[in-house]
Amino acid sequence: MKKATLIAILIIATFLRTYNLNRVPPGFYSDEASWAYNAYSIFLTGRDEFGRLLPWSFEAFGDYKLGVTVYSILPAYAIFGISDWSARLPTAIYGVLTVYGIYLLCRELQKQHYSAVHQQQLPLLAAGILALTPGHIFMSRGIWDVQAALCYTVFGIVFFLKAIHRLSSQSISRASLSYLILSALSFVLSMYSYNSSRVLTPLILLFLFTNYFKFLFPTSSRKFLTRNLLSLALPVSLSLLLLLPQLFALTTPQVLQRARYVSIFQHGEVEAKLYAAIQKDPIGQPVLLTRLLHNKPIFYSAEFFQNYLSHYELDFLFLAGDTFEIFQVQGSGILLVLFLPFLVFGLYASLRYHYAYRNLAWFLLLISPIPSALTIFTPSVSRAQLLVIPLAIFTASGALFAIQLLSNHNNRFIVRAFLMVIFSSLIFNFSYWFKQYYIQNPPLVATKWNDGWRELSAILAQSLDQNTPILVSNAQAPSYIFLSWYWRIPPAALWQTRVTDFQPDSNGLNNTTQILNHIYFSKQIQSSCQKLQTPAVCVGFFGELANGQVITNSYSQPVFQLSKLH
Amino acid sequence: MSKLVIIIILTLSLTLHFYHIAKLTRGLAPIEVAHALLAHELRSLSFGNRQFSSSFDTPSFAYSAFASIMFSVFDYGIWQLRATSALAGTASAISLYFLAYKLLQLGSHRFSNNTPLHINSFLATIIFIFSPWSIHFSRFASAHNLGLAIYLLGTWLFSLLLSSKSGNPTRYRYLIIFAFSLSLFLAYSCVPYFAAASLLGCALILICFVYRKIIPYLVAIYLVAIFYLILSGKLAIYFSYYSLINLFFGLDIASVYRVSEVGLLLAPFLPFLLLGIYHIATLPTLRAYFFTSILVHPLLLLLFSPQHPNYANGLVLLPYLSLGIALGLTRFTKLLRSYRFAFRFSNFLPFMSGSLIFVFAGYAFMSFWHIYHQHYPLDAWPQWSTHWTKGALYIAQSYPQATQVVMEESPEVISYVQFFDLVFHNQVSRTLIGLESATALHASLPDGAVVGISGWRATPPNFQNTHHISLPDQQGTVIYKIGLWRQI
């Protein structure tokens, strides 16, 4: 019965993460195109778009994307061919695996050695809730590196717990050592998947080590202590060895370029607030007082805490979601509204009773927003994606707690009626979200998701000869990557012909200005067009050019203007 | 001990509320002027014969009644107008001290307990006194603070009644019942619906706790209300009451009812609120339910608050949040004590931690005080109608003979002129005349009987001797002007 339920949950999770995958979300975001093209380049040549052999970090737009996501796409290309759908599939699979991972995680947590309160149905319910969690579904449906990181983090914890439960009475057994190595590999992969993991994984490891210290070192006997330390040395040294490239790369300024742009410490917003506050102080106020009240440590701390707390805002969790439009679904946050009472029950019950999952879930809940709080544009679904794990566990636990409270009630009719109401409300709530996300939302966000590039690429490919100069607007996204992806430009041709300005722009990204000798990119399309020698073609975003053929996206919305200069 | 505590509470509270009350915040909010004029009406006219009607705000009868007493004793003036609020803030603090003590006693004496009641209730009161919102609402003529005071007083009276039920007879039971009923009426009069509903809600929780468990019913009401909010599309606004950023850091919103970038409570208390919630959750079942119900009941009632988002109604959260923080601080102290024994430290750890909390809280308060006095008047001068206040003050002082005032801007300004006429001349005699009417009638208007007031952008015709009033910011630059004109 349990197995059948788990399989049903996984089937539902798979359906929700793969249904109409190439159309929802619409288009292909610039980061997605970059991952897809780099995977294509690796698939054909073993080198990235700049011609580097099997890199662990991809320069891309100058944001140095971590490599696991790119390498995960390769099997999908091999099996299903090269397409938008197959490029998105691995992320969806990571999403489904995470659903299975949370099941395993809760099951392992229930096997704690010490006497804790157990909820037998927690693993299945937590998996079910994660399968239906909007914030997890829509982050599994694009190519987002965070999904791989989340999956590896969950499995890293699962393997660690499996290792703990397979410890013999006093020393580390062979089985537990194997799991420790698997755990170490999972954590290393998570750190090679997403930047936030570089902050979160060490914290999680520290927690696991301190929380399970007495299991790892159950005796103070010198002999066993030394033996266990030696056993632990293997996974630890293996991890450090695998992480060496990252450690060395951290010192290079290029890798930190993007981090600098998104960090609250470099963005300048806090300094502007600080300056405005100083301006409001009365003339003649002692300088010491001004410095005491308006200084960088205080303003940065306040900014950090506000960013951090913004991830626990109910509006973010249940109604509005991310600040980025592409991660928004109208009227929906990262959880279904109906989960709210159960989440509250779960949090409250976990404080009252010593549930087996308590320490880990609270720890994950508290640390998840830390990387995101250090950056601008908060609250962020993607940077704080780990949050969905504790939230799903608490919601599941709260639902079980509520059912337990109800089952104590004498009147069976009331209990059944209540459960019926909750269940039908859940179906209604999820159906509403499903309709919003899969039907209502795509046309609303199509242009934000760069829908229309496929159509433009097709038109340009059909109607132009090879040598006509084409000038394409670079105003909204690095346009070269869309043409490279949709035209499937051979990687070698790109290496040889691309002209890239590596000086970071205001967004901290580099700027590719030419590919294939006759395709040019400019941020000021109108003025650049006037300088072109005819015949040529100018392509601007809708409204950028004075006139020209309007090119629409898959929802018939005008996206580009194409002007042929004779 | 108790007398000393009361003296400390009174001293702190009165100092924070009355310090420069007439000058800070600069300007008068429209609701304050409305209260002043209704108070004058209550004082000087027979009941039911209303002379002034406010088109821009609804003054509270109860607040105006108290303000009219202040006017009778101390004459008309800004501090006299605001004094009711300041005294209400002080009364709230005193009531909270007794209420917190009684609630802790009610929640604990039926079970084994070793909570230091006096310390907890004193801490809650101190946190309440130093909370930015409590100070802000005690410094301007708003009925919300009076509503809060009456609400706390009523709840305390009710808890006294319950104490007498559970084996500690009170001789003044009937008097308490009468006073409680009166407080319900007054609370309703102050802030229609909400304060009275909160008072009744709290009373119900107390009754139910003494006689029966009520948690399932509270939860059921909560769920029904959430469904209602989902269906009515008001859930997002309701969630703002739960926002920790809102509660502890504030938002960048200039309003009469909130100080920009200042939260309801001082930010360093946030961890102690969470610790307090944890402390409540770990209490024995009935006590945990009791304190949880008490802590969350205003949130439950805010569901039915007709105006969303209403931060002034959210003021009712303040005493219970203060109590939660106080419980958190107590829990923290216990935690420190256990560490002290574990590490065989003397008093170093508790002393250091206590000092750190004091320093952080002191710094946060100093920062708030600075923002409140230096930045807030600059940020929120339009909401506080500083320009109207200055203009009306000028008219009242410089043109006592003019019987009509021409408005180019909002007609609300006439109320300001009337208020300052009361302050300087003890009478209200001027009337309003619209700009168009004044222009049409200008030949027939007697010389010297008309003054005009206008925004700085436009100068209406037929007026001369323009007097500009500037509102300088801290750097001395002009940010707004008002023109005053006499008819030719």
Side-chain angles (χ1 to χ4, degrees):
Chain A
M1 179 65 185
K2 261 188 181 179
K3 265 190 183 173
T5 316
L6 178 65
I7 290 167
I9 288 169
L10 291 177
I11 289 171
I12 291 169
T14 310
F15 170 75
L16 292 172
R17 283 154 184 80
T18 54
Y19 166 71
N20 216 0
L21 191 60
N22 56 341
R23 304 259 315 151
V24 181
F28 219 48
Y29 198 66
S30 53
D31 285 329
E32 290 189 288
S34 175
W35 269 303
Y37 185 78
N38 275 292
Y40 164 74
S41 180
I42 293 277
F43 185 69
L44 293 183
T45 64
R47 292 174 186 273
D48 75 347
E49 62 173 289
F50 288 91
R52 294 189 188 105
L53 184 67
L54 298 174
W56 60 268
S57 165
F58 290 78
E59 182 169 354
F61 311 136
D63 50 348
Y64 287 87
K65 293 175 167 64
L66 292 171
V68 169
T69 305
V70 171
Y71 292 108
S72 305
I73 296 172
L74 302 181
Y77 281 173
I79 299 167
F80 301 105
I82 297 161
S83 66
D84 291 5
W85 185 86
S86 52
R88 279 178 173 173
L89 186 66
T91 313
I93 291 172
Y94 278 127
V96 178
L97 281 175
T98 310
V99 172
Y100 182 57
I102 201 173
Y103 168 81
L104 293 177
L105 177 67
C106 293
R107 207 182 63 177
E108 289 303 320
L109 283 167
Q110 304 268 34
K111 290 181 190 165
Q112 302 268 7
H113 293 191
Y114 51 80
S115 57
V117 182
H118 287 189
Q119 290 175 311
Q120 293 306 324
Q121 301 304 322
L122 184 73
L124 280 176
L125 200 55
I129 281 170
L130 187 66
L132 299 180
T133 297
H136 189 248
I137 295 173
F138 63 68
M139 288 308 294
S140 305
R141 294 184 59 93
I143 311 175
W144 301 116
D145 42 4
V146 65
Q147 214 48 245
L150 180 69
C151 181
Y152 288 121
T153 305
V154 170
F155 275 95
I157 301 171
V158 169
F159 289 138
F160 184 87
L161 294 175
K162 276 184 180 286
I164 291 292
H165 297 142
R166 277 159 187 78
L167 288 169
S168 63
S169 58
Q170 287 188 315
S171 63
I172 293 175
S173 63
R174 185 170 287 183
S176 59
L177 186 62
S178 320
Y179 277 117
L180 280 176
I181 292 170
L182 276 177
S183 170
L185 287 175
S186 291
F187 282 125
V188 167
L189 280 171
S190 82
M191 289 177 82
Y192 274 107
S193 301
Y194 192 53
N195 289 319
S196 294
S197 294
R198 297 184 196 182
V199 179
L200 291 175
T201 304
L203 291 174
I204 292 170
L205 283 170
L206 193 69
F207 168 81
L208 291 175
F209 189 73
T210 48
N211 200 45
Y212 295 97
F213 186 82
K214 64 181 176 185
F215 296 103
L216 288 168
F217 303 103
T219 170
S220 56
S221 154
R222 200 168 180 174
K223 178 184 158 196
F224 289 114
L225 203 66
T226 319
R227 213 162 117 181
N228 285 0
L229 269 174
L230 282 174
S231 305
L232 272 178
L234 183 63
V236 171
S237 50
L238 183 68
S239 310
L240 287 174
L241 193 71
L242 290 170
L243 286 172
L244 273 181
Q246 276 215 17
L247 292 173
F248 286 125
L250 278 179
T251 53
T252 58
Q254 291 88 349
V255 172
L256 293 174
Q257 182 177 305
R258 179 72 176 159
R260 275 200 208 99
Y261 168 69
V262 295
S263 140
I264 54 170
F265 302 106
Q266 302 288 332
H267 191 252
E269 201 178 304
V270 178
E271 274 93 341
K273 278 186 193 172
L274 178 62
Y275 182 71
I278 292 170
Q279 287 289 305
K280 284 180 195 166
D281 277 359
I283 294 167
Q285 178 176 291
V287 179
L288 194 67
L289 183 64
T290 305
R291 284 192 180 163
L292 184 70
L293 293 171
H294 312 304
N295 54 66
K296 282 186 182 176
I298 290 292
F299 273 63
Y300 280 126
S301 307
E303 187 75 8
F304 172 81
F305 282 116
Q306 289 189 44
N307 286 350
Y308 177 79
L309 291 176
S310 68
H311 292 86
Y312 302 112
E313 296 283 292
L314 295 180
D315 198 33
F316 164 69
L317 292 176
F318 295 98
L319 296 177
D322 203 289
T323 46
F324 268 127
E325 274 181 89
I326 58 162
F327 296 135
Q328 286 173 357
V329 180
Q330 266 197 329
S332 166
I334 62 173
L335 296 173
L336 293 176
V337 176
L338 203 79
F339 290 170
L340 170 63
F342 301 116
L343 177 63
V344 174
F345 289 162
L347 290 169
Y348 188 78
S350 74
L351 290 176
R352 273 196 74 72
Y353 306 106
H354 193 188
Y355 287 123
Y357 66 81
R358 186 169 83 167
N359 291 358
L360 181 70
W362 271 100
F363 178 76
L364 293 180
L365 185 73
L366 292 175
I367 64 157
S368 299
I370 289 176
S372 180
L374 291 166
T375 63
I376 52 174
F377 309 128
T378 53
S380 164
V381 178
S382 56
R383 289 178 193 140
Q385 179 71 180
L386 182 62
L387 208 54
V388 295
I389 301 296
L391 289 176
I393 295 175
F394 282 123
T395 309
S397 174
L400 291 171
F401 179 68
I403 290 168
Q404 193 191 337
L405 277 183
L406 277 172
S407 60
N408 295 337
H409 204 282
N410 292 329
N411 194 330
R412 290 277 137 196
F413 174 74
I414 290 179
V415 174
R416 281 176 193 162
F418 184 77
L419 286 175
M420 193 75 91
V421 168
I422 292 291
F423 192 68
S424 28
S425 306
L426 180 66
I427 291 174
F428 173 76
N429 194 181
F430 188 76
S431 309
Y432 176 77
W433 180 82
F434 187 89
K435 178 178 152 274
Q436 285 293 107
Y437 181 66
Y438 291 89
I439 300 162
Q440 303 278 94
N441 207 48
L444 299 177
V445 293
T447 50
K448 301 283 173 194
W449 275 90
N450 302 312
D451 191 18
W453 277 101
R454 190 187 287 116
E455 290 77 3
L456 175 73
S457 308
I459 289 169
L460 288 177
Q462 283 165 12
S463 62
L464 298 166
D465 66 76
Q466 288 294 307
N467 299 317
T468 312
I470 304 173
L471 183 65
V472 183
S473 172
N474 229 357
Q476 291 184 13
S479 301
Y480 83 94
I481 198 68
F482 294 108
L483 296 180
S484 307
W485 168 243
Y486 285 116
W487 283 349
R488 304 285 192 269
I489 294 174
L494 192 66
W495 305 334
Q496 287 157 12
T497 59
R498 76 182 295 163
V499 177
T500 302
D501 178 7
F502 289 98
Q503 193 63 33
D505 65 4
S506 59
N507 292 331
L509 304 176
N510 60 33
N511 186 21
T512 296
T513 53
Q514 188 185 336
I515 57 170
L516 298 182
N517 295 324
H518 67 114
I519 316 281
Y520 305 94
F521 301 95
S522 168
K523 290 193 174 174
Q524 280 84 37
I525 191 76
Q526 186 77 39
S527 56
S528 304
C529 263
Q530 288 163 0
K531 293 172 197 163
L532 270 184
Q533 287 182 340
T534 53
V537 172
C538 270
V539 180
F541 287 97
F542 186 69
E544 274 191 312
L545 296 176
N547 48 44
Q549 179 194 349
V550 174
I551 295 167
T552 58
N553 62 13
S554 51
Y555 293 96
S556 305
Q557 296 161 334
V559 182
F560 297 105
Q561 278 173 304
L562 188 147
S563 173
K564 292 181 182 174
L565 310 174
H566 300 290
Chain B
M1 178 64 187
S2 186
K3 272 183 190 171
L4 180 68
V5 166
I6 301 290
I7 289 168
I8 293 170
I9 292 171
L10 274 175
T11 313
L12 286 173
S13 189
L14 289 172
T15 310
L16 289 170
H17 298 165
F18 275 101
Y19 172 74
H20 279 195
I21 192 171
K23 291 178 186 167
L24 296 169
T25 296
R26 276 178 264 170
L28 284 165
I31 185 68
E32 293 190 282
V33 179
H35 277 140
L37 295 181
L38 181 58
H40 169 68
E41 183 184 349
L42 290 173
R43 193 184 157 206
S44 56
L45 301 172
S46 58
F47 193 77
N49 180 19
R50 297 198 61 176
Q51 183 181 341
F52 308 107
S53 62
S54 171
S55 59
F56 53 91
D57 226 325
T58 314
S60 144
F61 176 83
Y63 190 92
S64 303
F66 280 105
S68 73
I69 296 169
M70 296 304 293
F71 286 155
S72 301
V73 178
F74 300 106
D75 209 353
Y76 291 102
I78 296 179
W79 79 261
Q80 293 90 327
L81 173 64
R82 290 175 171 172
T84 303
S85 223
L87 291 174
T90 309
S92 298
I94 299 279
S95 305
L96 175 62
Y97 174 71
F98 289 117
L99 174 64
Y101 186 85
K102 217 66 203 168
L103 287 177
L104 290 166
Q105 203 178 39
L106 270 172
S108 62
H109 83 265
R110 288 154 62 93
F111 311 95
S112 63
N113 175 57
N114 53 4
T115 320
L117 303 185
H118 275 295
I119 293 173
N120 261 331
S121 41
F122 180 63
L123 272 176
T125 312
I126 290 293
I127 290 159
F128 175 81
I129 288 173
F130 282 96
S131 89
W133 267 22
S134 166
I135 292 172
H136 177 54
F137 272 87
S138 300
R139 294 179 62 89
F140 74 101
S142 152
H144 291 94
N145 214 30
L146 185 62
L148 179 70
I150 294 163
Y151 158 65
L152 288 172
L153 199 67
T155 319
W156 173 57
L157 286 170
F158 196 83
S159 61
L160 278 184
L161 201 69
L162 282 180
S163 306
S164 72
K165 264 284 177 199
S166 48
N168 179 22
T170 304
R171 275 185 294 173
Y172 307 109
R173 190 178 303 171
Y174 295 106
L175 189 65
I176 290 173
I177 291 172
F178 172 73
F180 175 71
S181 312
L182 186 68
S183 73
L184 264 178
F185 168 74
L186 280 175
Y188 179 79
S189 163
C190 268
V191 191
Y193 171 76
F194 189 73
S198 304
L199 180 50
L200 206 60
C202 199
L204 278 173
I205 289 172
L206 293 171
I207 290 175
C208 294
F209 174 68
V210 171
Y211 296 106
R212 190 97 33 217
K213 285 191 243 176
I214 50 137
I215 291 298
Y217 301 100
L218 275 178
V219 170
I221 293 169
Y222 184 77
L223 291 178
V224 169
I226 289 282
F227 272 108
Y228 159 73
L229 286 179
I230 293 170
L231 294 176
S232 63
K234 289 179 177 171
L235 198 59
I237 303 161
Y238 174 62
F239 279 169
S240 67
Y241 291 117
Y242 289 81
S243 161
L244 289 176
I245 298 178
N246 225 341
L247 292 177
F248 287 93
F249 291 92
L251 299 172
D252 192 12
I253 297 172
S255 155
V256 168
Y257 290 124
R258 68 176 306 147
V259 182
S260 50
E261 291 178 24
V262 168
L264 184 76
L265 289 150
L266 298 176
F269 289 137
L270 169 60
F272 299 105
L273 176 64
L274 301 179
L275 200 59
I277 292 169
Y278 171 70
H279 173 75
I280 289 171
T282 52
L283 288 172
T285 310
L286 261 183
R287 283 176 66 196
Y289 284 170
F290 172 69
F291 283 115
T292 308
S293 318
I294 289 289
L295 199 68
V296 302
H297 93 276
L299 283 171
L300 200 68
L301 287 160
L302 281 166
L303 279 169
F304 306 102
S305 177
Q307 296 160 301
H308 282 294
N310 192 327
Y311 297 109
N313 280 353
L315 195 64
V316 183
L317 291 168
L318 191 54
Y320 297 109
L321 290 175
S322 305
L323 184 59
I325 293 169
L327 290 173
L329 278 165
T330 317
R331 179 76 182 215
F332 184 66
T333 319
K334 278 184 186 172
L335 211 74
L336 285 179
R337 274 193 204 143
S338 63
Y339 274 104
R340 192 183 68 176
F341 289 119
F343 293 108
R344 299 203 179 282
F345 279 128
S346 56
N347 284 322
F348 180 71
L349 193 62
F351 176 76
M352 274 303 290
S353 310
S355 306
L356 272 179
I357 294 169
F358 186 77
V359 166
F360 279 126
Y363 180 85
F365 182 75
M366 191 171 78
S367 182
F368 154 68
W369 196 248
H370 177 78
I371 289 172
Y372 190 55
H373 288 94
Q374 304 296 348
H375 297 189
Y376 182 56
L378 301 179
D379 293 336
W381 65 265
Q383 287 75 27
W384 282 95
S385 309
T386 311
H387 50 310
W388 291 351
T389 310
K390 283 195 165 191
L393 182 69
Y394 181 80
I395 292 177
Q397 284 180 321
S398 309
Y399 300 95
Q401 303 305 319
T403 54
Q404 287 181 305
V405 179
V406 176
M407 297 296 159
E408 187 267 339
E409 241 195 6
S410 167
E412 294 165 21
V413 189
I414 190 66
S415 305
Y416 284 73
V417 178
Q418 287 170 337
F419 173 70
F420 282 110
D421 278 342
L422 276 176
V423 173
F424 291 108
H425 314 300
N426 238 352
Q427 59 172 2
V428 177
S429 55
R430 298 179 215 255
T431 52
L432 169 71
I433 180 166
L435 178 63
E436 283 180 19
S437 312
T439 311
L441 293 171
H442 114 92
S444 60
L445 289 171
D447 187 24
V450 181
V451 290
I453 183 163
S454 162
W456 64 278
R457 291 184 187 87
T459 305
N462 305 325
F463 292 96
Q464 65 175 15
N465 300 334
T466 305
H467 179 87
H468 285 179
I469 291 175
S470 61
L471 183 78
D473 63 6
Q474 301 287 35
Q475 312 302 327
T477 53
V478 173
I479 59 170
Y480 203 84
K481 293 174 190 170
I482 288 184
L484 299 173
W485 301 269
R486 286 187 64 199
Q487 195 190 1
I488 300 165

